[in-house]
Amino acid sequence: MVSIIPILLYVIILKSLDGFKLVKWKVLVLALALGAVSCGLSLLGADISSRYELPFYAPLIEEILKGCAALLLFRFNRIAFMVEAMCYAGAVGAGFSLVENALYGYYNPDMLFATSLFRGLGTSVMHIGCTSLFLSIWLFSLSGMMRYGRVIALFPSLIIHGAFNAHLLSPLFQLVIVVIVFLLIFIGISSYNDRWIEKWLDHSIDNDVKMLGDIQEGRLDETPTGQYLMKVREQFDPEVFFDMLCYVQLALELKVEAKGRIMLHEAGMDDMETPEERERWNGMVKEMTALKERVGLAGMSILKPLAPISREDMKAITG
């Protein structure tokens, strides 16, 4: 229960902050499982190092393993927003602490209840917080606002984890300190996440809508985009060039509609979508993927400046 309580509180709090309904329960469960596996690998590494008298610095190994698990989620679930990074990476840390606390309690049956309680809570909060902080810094660095973010992403978590493992204070005071530290950090990250999403929703949507209108009304050749495409037309077969035009129109339609869907989620109106609309949407996404394959790398390099699809756009489109 000591291991589970912080997990439940963390998920409940962050899900309540997720007004855009970005976090999926099935991915949270997967993150818990990856965290448990990373704990098992860490214990295996500790056992091997002890057997062969090899150096083993627990905070470094544990943070690397949890970080790799969080990056797997980042890679395969198209994490694009801070609230996702905090939730999913926090669940990785929670899965790790769940196994670690269970084993710690099993091998220390004579530990006092108060020590077990505060030590267990502190460890859970520390693992949840450190992994969340790592992936948040990593994601933040991809925005270009932190030049060496990916290089230093693990350092803050290592410092906090190392200080926690030093046991300089009693378990109660360590619990209080880690809760306060991570609470302040995550309030700041959550505030930045809200501004980030609002900026993404506002960014270039007017231009996308205008260009889409020009295409639908047959005025594309009167726009700078259309004139640019006409200049490169001779470089491609007619069929490929037609697919390029179709891709630009479909990408713009998906981008505009995806942002509208996100705003509906925020307003609590996501349940209004009918099965037919969902099927139409999935069909459009599949068609865009097929067009991208037919256009090829050379064609996509030409189209990238005209209909750029950011990580945030792709997350909103594919869900």
Side-chain angles (χ1 to χ4, degrees):
M1 288 304 298
V2 163
S3 297
I4 293 171
I5 288 170
I7 299 170
L8 293 177
L9 289 175
Y10 185 82
V11 171
I12 289 169
I13 290 171
L14 281 183
K15 282 290 285 181
S16 68
L17 294 173
D18 180 24
F20 295 95
K21 308 294 189 299
L22 298 167
V23 177
K24 310 298 181 186
W25 285 108
K26 63 180 180 180
V27 184
L28 282 173
V29 173
L30 175 61
L32 284 168
L34 286 173
V37 170
S38 63
C39 183
L41 292 174
S42 175
L43 291 172
L44 179 63
D47 182 63
I48 292 173
S49 68
S50 175
R51 186 177 305 174
Y52 296 101
E53 298 182 352
L54 299 172
F56 185 86
Y57 183 58
L60 177 62
I61 302 301
E62 291 176 5
E63 291 305 323
I64 287 175
L65 288 171
K66 289 188 297 173
C68 289
L71 288 177
L72 278 176
L73 289 172
F74 175 84
R75 172 65 180 83
F76 292 107
N77 289 281
R78 295 192 181 95
I79 294 174
F81 300 100
M82 288 292 186
V83 69
E84 293 180 284
M86 288 193 294
C87 265
Y88 295 145
V92 170
F96 189 102
S97 66
L98 191 64
V99 174
E100 185 182 54
N101 278 347
L103 291 175
Y104 194 86
Y106 177 79
Y107 287 110
N108 296 275
D110 299 327
M111 188 167 48
L112 295 175
F113 175 76
T115 302
S116 174
L117 176 67
F118 295 122
R119 190 264 175 203
L121 286 173
T123 300
S124 295
V125 173
M126 183 272 295
H127 280 303
I128 289 170
C130 284
T131 316
S132 295
L133 182 59
F134 161 74
L135 194 58
S136 296
I137 295 173
W138 182 279
L139 183 58
F140 185 71
S141 71
L142 297 181
S143 67
M145 298 181 68
M146 186 181 290
R147 188 174 180 181
Y148 301 105
R150 278 175 283 182
V151 177
I152 66 168
L154 202 63
F155 289 166
S157 298
L158 278 175
I159 293 170
I160 294 172
H161 193 156
F164 185 89
N165 278 17
H167 301 297
L168 301 174
L169 301 171
S170 68
L172 173 59
F173 283 112
Q174 288 201 156
L175 170 61
V176 171
I177 289 172
V178 294
V179 167
I180 291 174
V181 168
F182 284 124
L183 182 62
L184 293 174
I185 289 173
F186 291 147
I187 286 174
I189 291 175
S190 178
S191 176
Y192 175 78
N193 177 75
D194 292 341
R195 295 196 302 272
W196 185 358
I197 294 180
E198 289 171 4
K199 181 180 178 181
W200 166 69
L201 287 172
D202 293 336
H203 180 65
S204 76
I205 191 167
D206 292 337
N207 292 334
D208 290 342
V209 170
K210 184 179 183 304
M211 188 186 299
L212 183 59
D214 290 335
I215 293 174
Q216 292 172 339
E217 294 172 13
R219 299 196 308 267
L220 180 61
D221 56 346
E222 300 174 9
T223 66
T225 298
Q227 292 166 8
Y228 172 75
L229 285 172
M230 291 304 111
K231 289 180 181 179
V232 300
R233 181 176 183 173
E234 301 302 324
Q235 299 178 24
F236 300 93
D237 293 334
E239 296 83 1
V240 175
F241 185 73
F242 178 74
D243 286 338
M244 291 170 68
L245 294 177
C246 291
Y247 177 86
V248 171
Q249 179 173 348
L250 190 56
L252 290 170
E253 288 178 3
L254 285 169
K255 284 175 64 177
V256 171
E257 193 169 339
K259 292 182 179 182
R261 286 156 63 96
I262 288 287
M263 287 185 246
L264 285 177
H265 289 332
E266 185 186 21
M269 300 170 65
D270 49 308
D271 293 333
M272 296 176 63
E273 189 178 44
T274 64
E276 292 77 13
E277 288 173 333
R278 281 194 292 272
E279 185 177 352
R280 180 187 65 84
W281 179 265
N282 291 333
M284 290 172 67
V285 174
K286 289 178 181 177
E287 185 182 352
M288 186 185 73
T289 304
L291 284 170
K292 185 176 180 180
E293 291 177 358
R294 293 204 297 268
V295 167
L297 292 175
M300 290 305 301
S301 66
I302 297 291
L303 295 181
K304 189 174 181 180
L306 306 180
I309 296 183
S310 66
R311 187 172 56 255
E312 293 87 351
D313 293 329
M314 204 63 207
K315 177 67 181 182
I317 289 170
T318 57

